[in-house]
Amino acid sequence: GLGDVYKRQLEISGVRRSNRFFFDMLDGIDSAAERGQVFHDYLAVKFVLHEWQEYRGDARRSLRNSYIRFLRGWGVDSSGVEGAVLKGWVLSRFGITPTYHRGILKHRDGEEDRRFAYDRMKGSMRTNAISQQLDLLYEFCQYELRRRWPERPTLLLFRGTNDPEEHPVLEVRAKRESCVRLNNLCSFTSDREKAWEFGSTVWQATVAAAKVVFFSELLPSSLLAGENEYLVIGGNYWVRELLF
């Protein structure tokens, strides 16, 4: 049934196995905040982010090599260079094509498609193994969701948008309930009221926990500011339009 689909776990091949020591270490840490800091420190060592920082002597420049830069960049502009890299990662790992980047993507030789390819290449070139960093971010996020809320295979989330017509409607089930095609990576919030700050139309959706790549409480606030945001793998979603 549908419930079983929501309970299905996704896994990026080989990531948990090749980082078994790290995940075993997390099992012995009770504090979620401490686990978040340990995750960040583990990536800094594994991808020599700390050495890059020491070499340059500039903490801000070291962010160019860090997954943190891409999460922050997404928050500023999801159609920027960082957004292109994140969407490209979803495409390569989950096979879901992006639908929007500085414009609607037609997946032929159009201007928007060329800009997406250029931004993706530009963002990946100057970063140390960003795809592998994002692989670990996803697996850590899934670990935390299962550990914090083991009985919660789905999340009720909300998304505000000013351009609902940019999302293709695949099927209509009721007056304000339809199946829409979302971009391959998109932001939601767990705060219904906050969603209205991001658009004049707000959708409510039931999201499988397995589709969450990142949420703002995953890491200590000193690393990444944000409130109630969830970064979710997109595709086809049943959404219900809410009335203000």
Side-chain angles (χ1 to χ4, degrees), residues 79 87 98-116 163-168 181 183:
S79 278
K87 292 168 196 170
T99 58
Y100 189 92
H101 185 78
R102 305 196 196 198
I104 296 172
L105 298 177
K106 302 176 179 64
H107 300 291
R108 51 180 184 263
D109 194 24
E111 183 181 348
E112 290 82 4
D113 298 275
R114 285 194 295 271
R115 279 192 301 196
F116 170 66
D163 304 296
E165 65 279 356
E166 287 183 1
H167 302 86
R181 177 76 175 186
N183 209 348

Side-chain angles (χ1 to χ4, degrees), residues 74-75 78 157-160 185-189 229-232:
W74 174 273
S78 61
L157 299 177
F158 307 91
R159 175 173 170 79
L185 189 67
C186 47
S187 292
F188 281 83
T189 177
E229 183 181 7
Y230 285 73
L231 203 52
V232 172

Side-chain angles (χ1 to χ4, degrees), residues 1 7 23 28 41 43 70 75 77 80 115 118 136 147 151 158 186 196 213 238:
K7 290 177 185 176
F23 286 100
D41 293 345
L43 260 67
F70 289 84
D77 179 12
R115 279 192 301 196
Y118 175 77
L136 266 165
R147 181 158 178 183
E151 301 304 319
F158 307 91
C186 47
W196 291 104
V213 173
W238 281 101

Side-chain angles (χ1 to χ4, degrees), residues 5-7 142 145 152-159 182 186-189 203-213 230-234 236-239:
V5 171
Y6 283 129
K7 290 177 185 176
Q142 290 298 304
L145 287 171
R152 198 185 296 178
T154 65
L155 303 164
L156 189 65
L157 299 177
F158 307 91
R159 175 173 170 79
L182 298 180
C186 47
S187 292
F188 281 83
T189 177
W203 287 330
Q204 172 184 296
T206 299
V207 176
K211 291 189 126 186
V212 178
V213 173
Y230 285 73
L231 203 52
V232 172
I233 297 167
N236 299 342
Y237 278 84
W238 281 101
V239 299

Side-chain angles (χ1 to χ4, degrees), residues 49-66:
L49 306 181
H50 62 307
E51 289 182 13
W52 201 96
Q53 179 176 331
E54 290 164 8
Y55 176 72
R56 292 289 184 182
D58 186 335
R60 284 185 303 173
R61 287 191 179 197
S62 73
L63 285 176
R64 290 183 184 175
N65 265 6
S66 170

Side-chain angles (χ1 to χ4, degrees), residues 127-162:
T127 307
N128 186 21
I130 185 57
S131 292
Q132 287 71 36
Q133 291 184 51
L134 294 173
D135 291 346
L136 266 165
L137 177 69
Y138 173 76
E139 291 294 346
F140 175 60
C141 179
Q142 290 298 304
Y143 171 92
E144 281 295 312
L145 287 171
R146 289 194 290 268
R147 181 158 178 183
R148 297 188 199 187
W149 305 293
E151 301 304 319
R152 198 185 296 178
T154 65
L155 303 164
L156 189 65
L157 299 177
F158 307 91
R159 175 173 170 79
T161 177
N162 283 314

Side-chain angles (χ1 to χ4, degrees), residues 76-97:
V76 173
D77 179 12
S78 61
S79 278
V81 168
E82 292 84 3
V85 171
L86 288 165
K87 292 168 196 170
W89 173 79
V90 172
L91 174 61
S92 69
R93 297 310 193 248
F94 300 98
I96 301 173
T97 55

